Each structure stands twice: as structure tokens, then as C-alpha cells.
């Protein structure tokens, strides 16, 4: 073995043998035969000193290179074999890994639940645009031109006559324009207000508008519907409190609170230590609204309410910060 061509031949032979190495024992054998201190390549290199001086350098370099290549190839399969040996046997009795399923956002679930309950009372669903004309958001709802609710503080004004709707009440007007009584509608959707963000308020939130216009609709009907809803939605432990209030588009008007289910009425961050949380505004539809849509207020009466979906969800699930709904943290969302 003194010719340069012999080195390549030797390497080929070793590589062929390496392919056949199948277990630990064969591996050991291969190592000592080819790569060990007394292995074929060591012997080859030891012979370099006996070569004629002009041959030594090239022969030595080539032999070294070949040995290194073989060493690398050997290490590769060695690592693979070791991994296999270290891996525990496959345990067929282990339960499989369940894929994580997506699901509806908690606000969507709550909205669907609200819709289901009112559907049982004869309401159908409608919707309207979130980018709304000033006319529908304010004027047709009997807001005088200088009413403070149009103020920058509450409303996100857009170009022209458009605003981001500040409530779902404009859907009342849009539906009344198209339909004649009796109408019984539920309109869930997003609303926007330029408010300071804290645990109870966010600049975007969801409301469900409900309204009913017909002959002989009374405030007692409104109360009956809201109480029936609260019982089904919260269960019988929840109490409702009707407070007199004001909205330009209802007369008389009321704001309704639910007894705080988070603290049981003793006071907490959610109810601001009051034991009650406001969940909706409501009232008898103002004759001015009916006039704007050419309903005869002498003949037609109606009620309307607008509920905050986040507030309802917070009470039902004892959530103490509205911001959680919009952070999309899976640790929160996966709980519902
Ligand atoms: N739109 C009112 C609000 O957002 C709630 C409301 C709806 C009040 C319907 C009365 C009737 O505050």
C-alpha cells in the first residue's frame, strides 16, 4: 500500500462496509478495524515515513483526508444508532394527543345565547352598519343638533356625515324605514365610544338592540320581556333594578342594573362597590322617532332596549376586566 490510488480503494472498501453496519457490535468492530489505533488507516499513515521523501507529503495528506472523511461518515451513523438505542420503546397504551380545537369567542357565544332566548319570545335578528350616518345614529333618534352626546368625548367622527355608531339604536330607524308594525327585532353588533379605557369600559364594545313596535305595546311588556330574559340568562339568583333615566329616543326611559353576581352585592371592582352593575338602557319609543319613520304615534307604540354584551358576559362568567375580551389571550379564551 504505497500508491496514492490505493488510498481511494481502501476508502471505498471501508465505506461499503460501513453501509452494512447494523448494530452496536458491528459498529465497534468497524471502528477498531478502520479507525482505531491499529486500524487500517493508522497503519497506512504509519507507513508514510518509509516512502521516498518526494512522495511523503502528498500521500500523507491524502491518507489523512480519507481517514477524516471516513471518521465523519462513521460518526453520523453512530449518532443515529445511539438515538435509536436511547429512545424508549413506543408505548401503545398512552392516550393520543388531542388536537386543540378552535371555538367561538366568548362574546359570540353570549350573543348567540341572547339571540336564542329572545328568539323564543318571537324576536328576529337584523343588523346595520358600524360606519353610520349621523342621521341614523343621532338625528332620527331625536338627538337635538347641539346634544352633548354628539360631543367629541363620546363619538368617533369620520369624514362627511359619518360616525362610528355609538350604539345599536340606529338599527331601529333602519328597520322601521323598511317594515311596518308589528316588528319585533333583535340587533346585535359592535359600537364605538371614545372613552377612557378601564376595567369596565372599552373604546369598542358590543350591544344588542331589541325593539318591538305594534298597537298597544306597554311598559309592562318591556318589563316582562327583560325579566324573562334575565331569568333565563343569569338564572333566578339575579335581581333586576329599574332606575328612571333619560334617552332622547325613549320616553319614559329606564336604566336597568343587575345585582352583582361577582361579589353577591357586597362590592367589588366590577360593580364599583355598588353591588349592582348597569347592563342596559330601555324605554318606550319616543313619538318623535315614529314620526321620523312615518309611523303614526297615535296608533303605534313600542319599546326598545340596548344591552351591553360585555357587561352581561362579565356578570354571567364573573369576569372582572372588560379588556380581557380583546386581548385574545388563549389562557382566557380557552375557558369558555
Ligand atoms: N342606545 C342606548 C345606549 O347605548 C341604550 C338604549 C337603547 C336606550 C334602546 C333605550 C332604548 O346607551
Amino acid at each position: 500500500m504505497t500508491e496514492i490510488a490505493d488510498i481511494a480503494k481502501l476508502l471505498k472498501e471501508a465505506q461499503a462496509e460501513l453501509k452494512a453496519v447494523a448494530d452496536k457490535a458491528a459498529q465497534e468492530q468497524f471502528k477498531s478495524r478502520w479507525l482505531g489505533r491499529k486500524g487500517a488507516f493508522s497503519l497506512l499513515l504509519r507507513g508514510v515515513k518509509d516512502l521516498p521523501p518526494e512522495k511523503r507529503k502528498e500521500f500523507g495528506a491524502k491518507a489523512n483526508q480519507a481517514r477524516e472523511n471516513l471518521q465523519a461518515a462513521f460518526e453520523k451513523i453512530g449518532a443515529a444508532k445511539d438515538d435509536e438505542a436511547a429512545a424508549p420503546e413506543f408505548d401503545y397504551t398512552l392516550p393520543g394527543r388531542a388536537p386543540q380545537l378552535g371555538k367561538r369567542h366568548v362574546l359570540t357565544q353570549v350573543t348567540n345565547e341572547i339571540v336564542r332566548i329572545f328568539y323564543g319570545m318571537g324576536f328576529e335578528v337584523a343588523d346595520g352598519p358600524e360606519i353610520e350616518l349621523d342621521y341614523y345614529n343621532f338625528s332620527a333618534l331625536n338627538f337635538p343638533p347641539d346634544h352633548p352626546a354628539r360631543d367629541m368625548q363620546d363619538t368617533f367622527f369620520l369624514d362627511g356625515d359619518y360616525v362610528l355608531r355609538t350604539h345599536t339604536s340606529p338599527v331601529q330607524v333602519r328597520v322601521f324605514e323598511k317594515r311596518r308594525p308589528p316588528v319585533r327585532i333583535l340587533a346585535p353588533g359592535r359600537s364605538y365610544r371614545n372613552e377612557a379605557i378601564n376595567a369596565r369600559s372599552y373604546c369598542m364594545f358590543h350591544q344588542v338592540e331589541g325593539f318591538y313596535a305594534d298597537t298597544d305595546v306597554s311598559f309592562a311588556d318591556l318589563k316582562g320581556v327583560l325579566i324573562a330574559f334575565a331569568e333565563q340568562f343569569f338564572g333566578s339568583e339575579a335581581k333586576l333594578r329599574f332606575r328612571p333615566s333619560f334617552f332622547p329616543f325613549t320616553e319614559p326611559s329606564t336604566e336597568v342594573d343587575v345585582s352583582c353576581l361577582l361579589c353577591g352585592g357586597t362590592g367589588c371592582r366590577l360593580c364599583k362597590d355598588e353591588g349592582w352593575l348597569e347592563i342596559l338602557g330601555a324605554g318606550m319609543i319616543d313619538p318623535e322617532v315614529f314620526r321620523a319613520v312615518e309611523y303614526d304615534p297615535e296608533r303605534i307604540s313600542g319599546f326598545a332596549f340596548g344591552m351591553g354584551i360585555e357587561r352581561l358576559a362579565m356578570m354571567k362568567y364573573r369576569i372582572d376586566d372588560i379588556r380581557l375580551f380583546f386581548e385574545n389571550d388563549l389562557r382566557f379564551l380557552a375557558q369558555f
Side-chain angles (χ1 to χ4, degrees):
M1 288 277 190
T2 53
E3 293 305 323
I4 294 211
D6 292 333
I7 300 171
K9 231 189 269 170
L10 200 64
L11 181 61
K12 258 214 181 108
E13 193 185 332
Q15 281 168 335
E17 211 170 283
L18 183 60
K19 271 200 195 117
V21 167
D23 55 25
K24 262 241 139 65
Q27 227 174 323
E28 288 305 320
Q29 226 177 1
F30 181 90
K31 193 171 164 188
S32 66
R33 180 158 143 70
W34 293 103
L35 299 165
R37 260 191 321 120
K38 291 187 182 151
F41 277 94
S42 301
L43 295 179
L44 198 65
L45 285 160
R46 234 171 276 158
V48 170
K49 62 180 188 313
D50 304 324
L51 292 175
E54 72 279 9
K55 243 184 166 180
R56 279 181 208 161
K57 194 172 169 202
E58 196 192 351
F59 191 97
K62 286 258 156 76
N64 245 329
Q65 185 61 54
R67 188 185 186 284
E68 264 165 41
N69 288 350
L70 187 63
Q71 179 76 37
F74 176 77
E75 268 163 24
K76 236 195 207 157
I77 71 136
K81 292 237 158 72
D82 281 347
D83 277 350
E84 244 167 63
E89 252 174 69
F90 186 78
D91 183 348
Y92 294 94
T93 67
L94 281 175
R97 270 181 218 144
Q100 271 210 11
L101 292 183
K103 51 167 132 170
R104 293 190 202 285
H105 190 279
V106 54
L107 289 176
T108 307
Q109 291 182 41
V110 168
T111 305
N112 290 347
E113 165 81 352
I114 297 167
V115 168
R116 190 188 60 75
I117 293 170
F118 280 101
Y119 189 73
M121 294 191 267
F123 287 75
E124 34 176 328
V125 171
D127 66 3
E130 291 172 28
I131 295 173
E132 186 54 286
L133 281 165
D134 177 285
Y135 175 75
Y136 289 107
N137 197 79
F138 295 124
S139 303
L141 289 169
N142 194 33
F143 282 84
D146 54 355
H147 195 280
R150 296 183 184 218
D151 196 279
M152 270 305 208
Q153 287 246 306
D154 298 306
T155 307
F156 289 110
F157 290 96
L158 304 175
D159 286 348
D161 285 333
Y162 289 98
V163 298
L164 288 181
R165 69 176 178 192
T166 58
H167 52 177
T168 45
S169 298
V171 183
Q172 290 183 38
V173 184
R174 286 182 173 275
V175 170
F176 290 152
E177 277 182 348
K178 286 201 208 87
R179 309 250 312 241
R180 299 283 103 184
V183 286
R184 233 178 325 205
I185 297 286
L186 205 62
R190 255 177 222 158
S191 307
Y192 302 83
R193 279 183 209 173
N194 193 359
E195 279 185 300
I197 290 170
N198 57 44
R200 288 152 51 108
S201 332
Y202 202 71
C203 52
M204 174 194 75
F205 57 99
H206 296 75
Q207 284 189 327
V208 185
E209 194 79 7
F211 46 97
Y212 175 30
D214 200 351
T215 50
D216 299 321
V217 178
S218 72
F219 198 92
D221 294 323
L222 171 63
K223 272 188 92 171
V225 162
L226 292 178
I227 291 169
F229 164 75
E231 251 171 36
Q232 286 187 63
F233 185 79
F234 293 116
S236 48
E237 81 230 69
K239 280 181 285 182
L240 289 190
R241 179 171 81 171
F242 289 73
R243 282 182 288 108
S245 185
F246 173 81
F247 298 102
F249 41 96
T250 48
E251 182 62 35
S253 303
T254 177
E255 277 176 312
V256 179
D257 307 329
V258 63
S259 53
C260 186
L261 301 173
L262 192 71
C263 61
T266 55
C268 66
R269 158 152 105 137
L270 180 57
C271 65
K272 261 198 193 157
D273 291 332
E274 282 169 13
W276 297 89
L277 188 76
E278 183 203 319
I279 52 165
L280 65 90
M284 301 308 292
I285 296 170
D286 196 287
E288 285 305 314
V289 176
F290 283 146
R291 274 188 205 109
V293 296
E294 289 166 12
Y295 281 14
D296 176 5
E298 298 299 327
R299 206 173 65 80
I300 300 300
S301 56
F303 66 68
F305 57 84
M307 320 198 265
I309 300 181
E310 284 82 1
R311 293 271 177 99
L312 291 176
M314 288 165 88
M315 268 301 152
K316 189 176 171 87
Y317 294 117
R318 279 69 165 165
I319 298 164
D320 73 353
D321 196 320
I322 194 170
R323 290 165 287 203
L324 288 165
F325 292 114
F326 306 113
E327 282 165 0
N328 285 335
D329 187 331
L330 283 178
R331 291 169 302 180
F332 172 74
L333 295 178
Q335 294 178 48
F336 305 97

